[in-house]
């Protein structure tokens, strides 16, 4: 059964797909938006603790990982965080800056979903939902899509199926399979912005610290982040670890400064003359007390002894271990806990302004399914909006 003929068929009604549909529809294109899940924009809804960190005012190509580090530059320049902020203001959605340029809704992420739906309605976008896509074939004049609702024809197809994280809310590898079907290269997908885990026997001394958090500087190779770290039962999480996880590959060690900005060896030696307190009480001024306790015990130091009684050399060594904790994760918490996918459709296959496949005219890939992965902090949504906008303007 043929169910329609369209200028553009967009597969996936998430952040990028809805943005693309709205832009193309408002340019007068006949657009159908196909979504297989029962609810649209689920990742928007659950993002930012329910308040959606929808962009970052500082977003630039340096905040993205990709085989081609500059690939995102043109698309990000053509649709900036300011452009998305203007849209949010137009819809009278209150927002605030939380931390390092991260913008969040004042009330609920649902406002962003409602905004995108309203923009789609303005572009007379037709919805097919819930509806799975079974196959996409080229026809010469466009594409034939076999869907759960019947066959439809479209001059252009935009693939906006997102990444693999959180399969229970609709994530699928369909976009990657479609890319391979058309002979396009895919950079192997990996979980990113994800907590890291450790072998049980290595983690045993720290397992009791689950819930302890503090600011650290974490490094992997040449990349480092100053953010909060959180101990979990199985390993490490928190913004510092999520950020560095995108740069970590199995076998790499992380270097963690547990009291960044402080030369603890020197501070402890200085404090000897001024303080009658125990080593532990003094150390707890600069780091979480439970962590200080485990650390001092692991070093075989008497935490309850007066600081003045501990030898200078021991304090210097203690400061050095706290500034350069070296740990080797055994793995990640995987797709269930990852916020994004690293890898995806190889950017070398795509035109950097239109996201159209160079070798398959009329086929576009946008959002997380593309090998462009943002840092934590609103960068991934900004890529979704900007790439959706770019394709919406091109189709
Ligand atoms: P997205 O996943 O939004 O949409 C893809 C859509 O395609 C989904 O609706 C899916 O159901 C549908 N689909 C998949 N396969 C299909 C098929 N075969 N047929 C039809 N439909 C199909 N980013 C950020 O910048 N700020 C933040 O605060 C957060 N917070 C956050 C929290 C959590 C828990 C997660 C998991 C992720 C985030 N992110 C984030 C990342 C952000 O959500 C993500 O990068 C964007 O949603 C990607 O937008 P896309 O449109 O590419 O995919």
């Amino acid at each position: 059964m043929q169910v329609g003929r369209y200028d553009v068929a967009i597969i996936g009604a998430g952040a990028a797909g809805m943005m693309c549909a709205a832009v193309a529809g408002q340019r007068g294109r006949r657009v159908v938006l196909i979504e297989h899940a029962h609810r649209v924009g689920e990742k928007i809804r659950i993002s930012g603790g329910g308040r959606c960190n929808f962009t970052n005012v500082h977003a630039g190509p340096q905040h993205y990982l990709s085989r081609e580090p500059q690939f995102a530059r043109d698309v990000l320049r053509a649709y900036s965080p300011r452009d998305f902020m203007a849209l949010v203001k137009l819809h009278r959605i209150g927002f605030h800056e939380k931390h390092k340029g991260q913008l969040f809704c004042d009330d609920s992420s649902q406002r962003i979903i409602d905004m995108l739906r309203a923009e789609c309605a303005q572009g007379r976008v037709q919805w097919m939902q819930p509806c799975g896509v079974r196959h996409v074939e080229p026809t010469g004049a466009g594409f034939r899509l076999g869907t759960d609702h019947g066959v439809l024809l479209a001059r252009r197809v935009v693939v906006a199926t997102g990444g693999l994280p959180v399969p229970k809310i609709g994530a699928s590898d369909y976009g990657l399979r479609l890319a391979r079907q058309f002979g396009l290269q895919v950079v192997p997908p990996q979980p990113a912005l994800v907590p890291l885990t450790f072998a049980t026997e290595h983690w045993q001394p720290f397992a009791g610290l689950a819930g302890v958090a503090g600011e650290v500087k974490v490094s992997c190779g040449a990349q480092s982040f100053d953010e909060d770290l959180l101990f979990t039962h199985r390993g490490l999480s928190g913004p510092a670890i999520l950020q560095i996880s995108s740069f970590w590959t199995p076998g790499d060690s992380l270097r963690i400064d547990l009291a960044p900005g402080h030369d603890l060896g020197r501070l402890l030696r200085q404090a000897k003359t001024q303080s009658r307190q125990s080593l532990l009480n003094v150390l707890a001024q600069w780091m979480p007390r439970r962590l200080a306790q485990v650390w001092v015990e692991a070093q075989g130091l008497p935490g309850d002894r007066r600081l003045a009684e501990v030898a200078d050399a021991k304090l210097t060594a203690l400061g050095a271990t706290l500034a350069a904790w070296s740990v080797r994760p055994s793995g990640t918490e995987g797709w269930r806990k990852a916020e994004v996918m690293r890898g995806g459709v190889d950017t070398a296959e795509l035109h950097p302004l239109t996201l159209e496949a160079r070798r398959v005219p009329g086929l576009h890939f946008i959002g997380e399914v593309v090998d462009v992965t943002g840092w934590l902090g609103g960068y991934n949504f900004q890529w979704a909006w900007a790439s959706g906008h770019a394709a919406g303007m091109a189709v």
Side-chain angles (χ1 to χ4, degrees), residues 11-17 34-37 39-44 46-49 52-55 104 131-133 160-163 165-166 169-175 338-340 366-369 375 377-382 384:
I11 309 175
I34 308 166
E35 168 60 52
H36 70 170
R39 298 172 67 158
V40 299
E42 271 296 85
K43 284 205 184 154
I44 302 176
I46 64 171
S47 68
C52 187
N53 174 196
F54 57 77
T55 191
F104 285 76
C131 176
V133 177
T161 48
V166 204
I169 57 168
S172 84
D173 67 349
Y174 186 68
E339 282 203 9
V340 285
I366 59 173
E368 200 176 314
V369 74
W375 289 10
Y379 301 104
N380 284 294
F381 278 134
Q382 187 56 37

